[in-house]
């Protein structure tokens, strides 16, 4: 790490001599300015910090702390008020513009009135120990004054586990010319956290009530700043235990691009790390949500539920469910069977009787606006938009295929029936790719005199033939779709033949001077043809949309269309083995944008590979 002399101040921020280069993977930002004054100054503070830290930025709130005094500052509790909750929302909202940063506001010293105790002098472990500590505190002469930095470093290491060679920087962000307008300093933060159950208007300075136990739920895919607001408010309110429900199984089916959702275990891992980082004193019960109510609807020990604007009505439904579903008062225990679940375990000793459970106090959080969303994305910060942005990106390293002719790069294009492979293949052809259509190869294989013709007729009989002797593919299809045994007989004959024809087409592509070849094949992975390609590109659409397209295109019944899909790998199974994912769910113009993005990124990969070899 650079020593402290490296930071001698010569020009305005972010930090002297560092320019725009981020040199630390993790950092701790200690904010000392009073919240009302701090809020409008956040953008330049976060921008300055982001120039120094490139992965995880922890934020510690200690308004009013003086790093320039003779005494070493000590951590002190910060009263949890609605102003504090609003500031947390404000900070995460601003941090959303810095998407390379994983920002985490630490909550250990933020305490509700019911638990307002001195902060004990214990050091909190962090998942990513800070390599640098930053602050908005300013000296009168605007310098990197060593005694102040020493105070800052001692304060940071007294609170959190930091790297042994901790660096420190006084940020001095560029707030623009002149002082900020008084009205902007005194303007209240936008209301972000309310308690609908209370008809009394709350003031920013109003203390937040603490509860022993509460709940919050969501999908928590690709944990983002809107999730962090929801979770942080729940962590501030809870004093002992927080139940976090994570949507799984049937609750995921209606999600946009569900094939790109992170697996449940991965979402839980990211969630656990964040929660333990921000408030390790809590006990966290992270459980799968398999129905809209989850533990919040049935656990009598819970006192509050944090919801978003979108899920507030669901919170009201949870309360109705609690009131209407009468059960004996009893113990609810967490049992483990691979995943956590909740089970009612009967009346508590000496506490029989019947009655509905008390309503939960509902805390509603406003949605964060996504300032950089594209035309077909939601205007809120959401995982759905993040999944859309993944479309066209490389998801895993390409396959090494030394057996393929040098200079030719092969893509396998696949997707469930009706996904739109032909239209995407045509777009790739327009961009310069050589297209190998496996359906056309199949027609050649099935044609009289073709390499698969006689073996198929011998296996399935002459009643699959037209009067002119050609194979009736609709009749043949009716024999094999939905019949695994018959399908295997057919594929064992046809797939090796089509693979041989595809290799001949690849040689032809090389002869024509093509550098990118695309094998368009619905059964690419089932046939094992991924061994012939460098990358698998999969097109995904909802199954309901696929059925609609098949019925419209092929004139089949819905049942026949569903039977066809059931004989193929699901979109989820295809994505698990894919390098690039696309979707034709939206307007054709959006599909074109995805294909162009994927093609441009591919060309960059090919250029980089070529440069490496040379």
């Amino acid at each position: 790490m650079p020593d402290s002399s490296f930071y001698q101040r010569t020009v305005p921020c972010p930090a002297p001599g560092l320019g725009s280069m981020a040199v630390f993977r993790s950092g701790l930002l200690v904010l000392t300015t009073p919240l009302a004054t701090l809020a409008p100054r956040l953008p330049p503070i976060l921008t300055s910090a982001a120039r120094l830290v490139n992965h995880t930025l922890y934020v510690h709130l200690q308004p009013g702390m003086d790093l320039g005094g003779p005494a070493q500052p000590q951590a002190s509790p910060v009263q949890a008020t609605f102003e504090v909750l609003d500031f947390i929302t404000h900070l995460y909202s601003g941090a959303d513009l810095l998407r390379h940063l994983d920002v985490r506001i630490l909550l250990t010293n933020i305490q509700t009135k019911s638990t307002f105790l001195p902060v004990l002098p214990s050091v909190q472990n962090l998942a990513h120990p800070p390599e640098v500590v930053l602050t908005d505190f300013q000296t009168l002469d605007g310098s990197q004054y060593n005694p102040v930095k020493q105070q800052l470093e001692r304060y940071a290491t007294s609170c959190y586990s930091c790297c042994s060679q901790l660096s420190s920087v006084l940020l001095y962000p560029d707030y623009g010319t002149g002082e900020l307008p008084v009205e902007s300093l005194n303007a209240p933060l936008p209301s972000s956290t309310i308690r609908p159950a209370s008809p009394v208007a709350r003031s920013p300075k109003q203390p937040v009530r603490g509860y022993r136990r509460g709940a919050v739920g969501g999908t928590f895919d690709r944990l983002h700043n809107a999730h962090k607001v929801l979770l942080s408010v729940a962590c501030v309110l809870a004093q002992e235990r927080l139940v976090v429900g994570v949507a799984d199984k049937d609750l995921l089916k209606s999600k946009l691009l569900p094939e790109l959702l992170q697996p449940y275990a991965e979402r839980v891992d990211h969630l656990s790390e964040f929660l333990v980082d921000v408030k390790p004193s809590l006990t966290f019960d992270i459980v799968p949500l398999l129905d809209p109510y989850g533990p919040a609807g049935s656990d009598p020990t819970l006192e509050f539920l944090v919801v978003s604007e979108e899920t507030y009505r669901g919170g009201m439904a949870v309360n109705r469910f609690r009131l209407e579903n009468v059960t004996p008062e009893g113990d609810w225990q967490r049992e483990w069977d691979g995943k956590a679940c909740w089970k009612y375990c009967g009346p508590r000793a000496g506490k029989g009787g019947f009655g509905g459970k008390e309503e939960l106090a509902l805390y509603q959080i406003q949605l964060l606006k996504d300032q950089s969303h594209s035309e077909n994305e939601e205007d809120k910060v959401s995982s759905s938009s993040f999944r859309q942005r993944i479309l066209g990106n490389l998801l895993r390293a390409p396959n090494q295929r030394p057996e393929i002719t040098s200079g030719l790069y092969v893509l396998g294009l696949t997707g469930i029936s009706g996904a739109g492979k032909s239209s995407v293949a045509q777009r790739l052809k327009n961009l310069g790719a050589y297209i190998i259509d496996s359906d056309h190869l199949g027609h050649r294989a099935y044609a009289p005199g073709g390499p698969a013709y006689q073996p198929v007729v011998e296996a399935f009989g002459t009643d699959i033939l037209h009067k002119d002797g050609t194979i009736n593919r609709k009749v043949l299809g009716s024999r094999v779709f939905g019949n695994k045994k018959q399908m295997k007989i057919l594929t064992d004959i046809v797939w090796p033949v089509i693979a041989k024809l595809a290799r001949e087409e690849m040689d032809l592509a090389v002869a024509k001077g093509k550098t990118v070849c695309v094998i368009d094949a619905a059964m690419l992975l089932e046939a094992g043809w991924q061994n012939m390609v460098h990358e698998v590109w999969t097109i995904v659409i909802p199954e309901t949309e696929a059925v609609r397209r098949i019925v419209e295109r092929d004139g089949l019944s819905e049942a026949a269309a569903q039977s066809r899909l059931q004989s193929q790998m699901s979109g989820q199974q295809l994505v698990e083995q894919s390098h690039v994912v696309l979707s034709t769910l939206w307007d054709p113009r959006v599909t074109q944008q995805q294909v162009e993005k994927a093609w441009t990124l591919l060309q960059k990969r090919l250029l980089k590979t070529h440069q490496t070899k040379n």
Side-chain angles (χ1 to χ4, degrees):
M1 292 299 163
D3 61 31
S4 58
S5 65
F6 183 72
Y7 298 104
Q8 293 305 310
R9 179 173 173 75
T10 56
V11 293
C13 218
L18 295 182
S20 61
M21 179 176 65
V23 295
F24 301 101
R25 181 169 173 80
S26 58
L28 172 65
L29 173 60
V30 179
L31 297 175
T32 64
T33 307
L35 297 187
T37 306
L38 179 59
R41 295 175 180 262
L42 269 180
I45 292 174
L46 291 175
T47 300
S48 298
R51 293 188 181 124
L52 295 170
V53 179
N54 63 10
H55 187 269
T56 307
L57 179 66
Y58 294 104
V59 179
H60 174 85
L61 298 179
Q62 198 68 75
M65 183 172 70
D66 182 8
L67 290 168
Q72 173 63 41
Q74 301 295 322
S76 59
V78 175
Q79 174 70 64
T81 62
F82 282 99
E83 180 185 37
V84 171
L85 296 187
D86 291 344
F87 180 82
I88 289 172
T89 301
H90 191 65
L91 193 150
Y92 276 126
S93 179
D96 200 58
L97 297 175
L98 308 168
R99 288 183 176 161
H100 69 286
L101 268 187
D102 177 4
V103 176
R104 305 181 182 188
I105 303 174
L106 302 170
L107 305 172
T108 298
N109 66 323
I110 299 176
Q111 300 181 6
T112 58
K113 187 176 181 179
S114 57
T115 58
F116 200 71
L117 300 170
V119 178
L120 296 177
S122 60
V123 176
Q124 177 182 332
N125 290 323
L126 297 173
H128 308 279
E131 301 169 2
V132 62
V133 56
L134 316 168
T135 186
D136 61 338
F137 183 83
Q138 300 185 358
T139 60
L140 293 176
D141 61 356
S143 68
Q144 294 289 326
Y145 186 50
N146 278 334
V148 171
K149 294 176 65 176
Q150 291 168 3
Q151 296 260 48
L152 177 62
E153 291 172 16
R154 283 196 292 266
Y155 178 80
T157 54
S158 71
C159 296
Y160 304 105
S161 60
C162 300
C163 288
S164 56
Q165 297 182 359
L166 182 68
S167 297
S168 58
V169 180
L170 309 186
L171 286 177
Y172 298 103
D174 183 1
Y175 295 123
T177 57
E179 293 295 327
L180 289 171
V182 174
E183 56 269 23
S184 70
L185 299 182
N186 295 329
L189 294 173
S191 174
S192 59
T193 308
I194 61 173
R195 184 177 176 191
S198 172
V200 180
R202 52 100 172 164
S203 68
K205 301 296 183 182
Q206 179 181 330
V208 173
R209 176 187 169 185
Y211 301 83
R212 292 176 62 195
R213 299 169 181 174
V216 63
T219 306
F220 301 113
D221 179 49
R222 292 172 175 82
L223 195 68
H224 53 65
N225 288 324
H227 291 145
K228 293 175 184 177
V229 172
L230 202 72
L231 294 165
S232 295
V233 171
C235 285
V236 170
L237 297 174
Q239 307 308 309
E240 294 181 6
R241 177 167 67 90
L242 181 65
V243 177
V244 184
V246 181
D248 197 21
K249 297 185 178 177
D250 287 349
L251 291 187
L252 303 179
K253 291 181 178 178
S254 62
K255 298 293 180 182
L256 181 68
L257 300 172
E259 301 89 351
L260 291 174
L261 282 164
Q262 293 172 319
Y264 175 85
E266 186 175 347
R267 287 181 280 137
V268 168
D269 285 346
H270 294 161
L271 194 58
S272 298
E273 182 184 292
F274 173 81
L275 291 170
V276 172
D277 256 357
V278 300
K279 194 170 181 180
S281 61
L282 280 182
T283 296
F284 297 106
D285 289 317
I286 302 178
V287 299
L289 273 183
L290 305 179
D291 63 71
Y293 303 110
S298 50
D299 185 345
T301 69
L302 298 180
E303 299 169 272
F304 73 87
L305 177 65
V306 177
V307 296
S308 70
E309 288 178 281
E310 285 187 330
T311 59
Y312 173 65
R313 294 179 66 181
M316 297 291 286
V318 165
N319 272 338
R320 287 195 297 272
F321 185 84
R322 289 175 66 88
L323 292 173
E324 295 167 2
N325 284 266
V326 179
T327 56
E329 184 181 7
D331 289 334
W332 288 78
Q333 293 182 6
R334 190 178 182 188
E335 295 197 345
W336 291 88
D337 183 15
K339 290 182 180 177
C341 63
W342 287 88
K343 177 182 178 182
Y344 181 67
C345 297
R348 296 179 183 141
K351 285 193 177 181
F354 291 78
K357 288 165 280 296
E358 290 186 6
E359 286 186 300
L360 301 174
L362 298 181
Y363 283 80
Q364 177 182 313
I365 310 301
Q366 279 188 354
L367 300 172
L368 294 191
K369 295 298 181 184
D370 187 344
Q371 305 298 329
S372 58
H373 69 93
S374 64
E375 183 180 353
N376 61 305
E377 295 174 349
E378 297 177 296
D379 64 355
K380 63 172 185 174
V381 176
S382 75
S383 300
S384 298
S385 295
F386 290 177
R387 291 194 294 277
Q388 284 180 254
R389 291 166 194 162
I390 292 172
L391 297 173
N393 290 352
L394 185 69
L395 303 181
R396 52 180 55 85
N399 301 320
Q400 300 299 315
R401 296 286 182 242
E403 69 277 11
I404 295 178
T405 304
S406 178
L408 183 67
Y409 200 81
V410 185
L411 308 178
L413 183 64
T414 191
I416 62 175
S417 184
K421 293 180 295 298
S422 298
S423 67
V424 171
Q426 183 60 49
R427 295 175 193 278
L428 290 169
K429 181 179 180 180
N430 295 340
L431 291 170
Y434 185 89
I435 306 300
I436 300 175
D437 188 329
S438 64
D439 277 347
H440 290 169
L441 297 184
H443 283 294
R444 284 171 52 187
Y446 285 129
Y453 179 83
Q454 195 58 39
V456 169
V457 173
E458 290 176 359
F460 293 94
T462 56
D463 56 342
I464 66 168
L465 299 177
H466 285 293
K467 290 182 180 180
D468 62 1
T470 58
I471 292 176
N472 186 328
R473 296 187 70 180
K474 283 192 175 181
V475 172
L476 180 60
S478 67
R479 293 271 189 92
V480 299
F481 282 124
N483 187 319
K484 292 183 179 180
K485 183 179 179 180
Q486 293 296 302
M487 178 64 81
K488 187 176 188 310
I489 292 173
L490 178 63
T491 56
D492 284 349
I493 296 170
V494 176
W495 284 349
V497 171
I498 294 178
K500 183 174 182 297
L501 295 175
R503 290 190 181 92
E504 293 173 359
E505 286 290 317
M506 289 160 61
D507 292 337
L508 184 59
V510 173
K512 291 184 175 182
K514 294 292 186 179
T515 57
V516 177
C517 179
V518 177
I519 301 176
D520 174 2
M523 307 298 284
L524 183 89
L525 299 182
E526 291 93 332
W529 296 339
Q530 67 268 33
N531 296 326
M532 299 166 55
V533 305
H534 295 92
E535 297 178 19
V536 175
W537 288 23
T538 293
I539 305 167
V540 296
I541 58 170
E543 185 174 309
T544 52
E545 175 64 13
V547 168
R548 186 193 68 78
R549 293 182 184 182
I550 294 169
V551 169
E552 183 178 291
R553 181 190 66 192
D554 300 338
L556 299 179
S557 66
E558 286 192 9
Q562 288 170 344
S563 176
R564 177 178 297 184
L565 292 175
Q566 288 168 4
S567 70
Q568 303 172 358
M569 293 175 69
S570 68
Q572 181 68 53
Q573 291 172 317
L574 295 175
V575 166
E576 288 171 358
Q577 301 184 55
S578 298
H579 299 82
V580 173
V581 177
L582 304 167
S583 180
T584 60
L585 183 58
W586 300 279
D587 186 273
R589 179 171 49 84
V590 177
T591 301
Q592 181 65 26
Q593 291 170 351
Q594 286 179 36
V595 173
E596 289 176 355
K597 170 187 173 182
W599 182 261
T600 299
L601 293 174
L602 171 63
Q603 297 306 309
K604 290 180 179 179
R605 293 198 291 277
L606 295 180
L607 178 61
K608 185 176 180 180
T609 301
H610 178 74
Q611 291 172 340
T612 301
K613 287 182 178 179
N614 294 335

